[in-house]
Amino acid sequence: MKIVKASVVLALGILASAGVASSTLAAEGPGTEKHDSYRFVVVPKVVHPWFDKVNQGAQQAAAAIKAQTGSEVEIQYSAPQSANVAQQNEIIERAISTRPDGIIVDLLDPSGNRTVLQEAQEQGIPITLFDSINPEGMNLTTVGSDFCEQAEMAANRLIELLDGQGKVAIMMGVPTAPNHAERARCAQAVFDAHEGIEVVATGVDNDDINTAQQQASAIMQANPDLDGWVASDAAGPVGIGQAIKEADKVGKVQLVGLDDLSQMLVLIKEGVADSSSASRPTMQGYWSVINMWQLATGAITPNHIDTGNVMITPDNVDSFME
C-alpha cells in the first residue's frame, strides 16, 4: 500500500512540475462538457399507454439530471396517432428542424426509418433507440430488453400451464416492428420444439387493443378448441383478455400476456390471464434520456443498455400496481 501511495504522490508531483493541475486533466476527460439546458425529443411508435410509461421514465430522468447538475432538461414527447412509418418520419423530420440536443426513437420500421435517422446524424443530432434495433449499417445506442427472451418466457409459461399439450395462437403487433416480429418468431420457435403444442392461428393487431379484441374473437370462433394465447405487443393481450371474457372462456383458454399495462395487471388480478412477461418501459425511458444526456456531455456510451424482463404473476402483481 505504501508503494501505491508513493507512486500517486510521484505522479502528481510530475504533473505539477509540468504545470498541469489534476483538476484540469479531469475537466478535459470524456463527459465533462456541461450545458445550462438540454432538450430531448421522444418519438414512440404510436399513441399508447405503454409509451406513456416510457414518457414517465423520461421525465423522471430529466428531474434526476436537474437535481444532480442544476441543468434544465426539457422532454418533448411526440407520438404518431397511428402506427404509420410515414407519420413517424414526419415527426422526426420536424424534430430535426428544431435542432434538439438529441432524439429518442422506437422505430416502426428500421429500413423505412433509416433515411431520416441518417439525416439527423448528418446534422450532428445524436440519436438513441429504445425497444428497437439498429437499421442496417447504423450503430446507435439501443435501450431495452431482450425481445426473444421475453417471448420465450411467455411461451414456456403457457406450455407449462397446458402440461405440454394443446392448441395455441400468437397475436402479432405491427409486423414491420422488429421487436414485435422477433417476439412472434421466438414464441413460434418454442412451440415448434414441443410436439404436443400446435400453433393454429396468428393474429395481427397493429398494436391496437380494439383490433386485438376483434382478431382474438374471430380466431376463437374459428378454433373453438383453442387452449391458449401469447402476444407480441402490449396491446394484444389486453384485447385477447377482453375477447376471452366476452366468449365466457375464462379458465378455459389460458392467456400469458406481455408487459405491464394497468389493463394487463387487472386481467391477472381477475384471473382472466395467468401472467405476463414484461419489459420495463419506465426504465427504458429513464435510461434513454440518461444516455442522451451522456452523449451531450461528450461521454462515450455503450452499444446497448439492457433493462431486463420480469414475469408478473398473481404472486407479485400487486407490486406492479400503481
Side-chain angles (χ1 to χ4, degrees):
M1 184 63 70
K2 290 181 180 178
I3 295 175
V4 173
K5 286 183 178 179
S7 298
V8 172
V9 171
L10 177 60
L12 291 175
I14 292 172
L15 291 174
S17 66
V20 181
S22 58
S23 60
T24 303
L25 286 181
E28 293 177 350
T32 56
E33 183 179 344
K34 184 177 179 181
H35 301 278
D36 293 333
S37 64
Y38 304 90
R39 181 170 57 87
F40 303 125
V41 179
V42 179
V43 185
K45 283 188 177 76
V46 68
V47 174
H48 194 291
W50 192 88
F51 293 114
D52 292 341
K53 288 177 173 283
V54 172
N55 186 32
Q56 180 182 5
Q59 300 292 344
Q60 290 173 355
I65 293 168
K66 180 178 180 180
Q68 296 301 322
T69 69
S71 298
E72 296 286 342
V73 181
E74 179 184 357
I75 304 297
Q76 291 186 343
Y77 180 79
S78 186
Q81 290 299 311
S82 62
N84 181 285
V85 179
Q87 285 185 25
Q88 189 179 50
N89 283 342
E90 287 177 5
I91 291 172
I92 298 171
E93 288 272 12
R94 290 198 297 271
I96 292 171
S97 68
T98 67
R99 305 293 301 172
D101 294 292
I103 300 175
I104 299 167
V105 191
D106 183 1
L107 303 180
L108 271 165
D109 181 352
S111 60
N113 294 123
R114 188 171 185 273
T115 299
V116 71
L117 296 181
Q118 288 179 322
E119 180 183 341
Q121 282 191 314
E122 289 169 0
Q123 296 194 33
I125 300 172
I127 304 165
T128 293
L129 304 180
F130 72 96
D131 201 39
S132 192
I133 63 172
N134 270 288
E136 185 176 354
M138 301 191 76
N139 186 29
L140 306 169
T141 294
T142 57
V143 178
S145 64
D146 186 319
F147 310 137
C148 197
E149 176 190 69
Q150 187 180 11
E152 289 171 348
M153 288 168 61
N156 283 316
R157 176 90 175 186
L158 182 59
I159 290 170
E160 291 177 9
L161 292 171
L162 300 179
D163 294 324
Q165 299 287 330
K167 296 181 178 181
V168 303
I170 300 171
M171 184 66 75
M172 275 285 296
V174 180
T176 60
N179 53 343
H180 297 180
E182 180 72 356
R183 292 188 191 114
R185 183 190 68 79
C186 291
Q188 181 74 55
V190 170
F191 294 140
D192 288 346
H194 290 76
E195 292 184 0
I197 300 294
E198 180 186 1
V199 179
V200 297
T202 301
V204 177
D205 61 45
N206 285 313
D207 219 358
D208 179 77
I209 292 173
N210 291 332
T211 303
Q213 181 178 357
Q214 294 165 7
Q215 291 270 303
S217 294
I219 287 173
M220 287 191 292
Q221 287 175 8
N223 300 273
D225 55 350
L226 187 73
D227 296 299
W229 280 98
V230 295
S232 301
D233 64 311
V238 176
I240 294 167
Q242 292 173 351
I244 288 174
K245 289 196 290 185
E246 287 180 353
D248 195 25
K249 291 194 173 185
V250 175
K252 301 173 185 177
V253 176
Q254 297 289 342
L255 168 61
V256 178
L258 201 85
D259 285 325
D260 60 352
L261 296 187
S262 59
Q263 300 101 311
M264 185 73 250
L265 302 180
V266 170
L267 290 174
I268 295 173
K269 292 281 287 184
E270 293 176 343
V272 178
D274 167 79
S275 51
S276 184
S277 176
S279 59
R280 298 170 177 179
T282 304
M283 191 181 295
Q284 291 190 32
Y286 185 95
W287 285 104
S288 292
V289 170
I290 294 296
N291 186 73
M292 285 273 76
W293 168 64
Q294 289 176 328
L295 283 172
T297 67
I300 300 170
T301 61
N303 292 330
H304 179 66
I305 300 173
D306 188 351
T307 50
N309 297 303
V310 63
M311 183 63 75
I312 303 175
T313 69
D315 293 332
N316 63 6
V317 65
D318 287 338
S319 66
F320 292 88
M321 304 288 285
E322 295 180 352

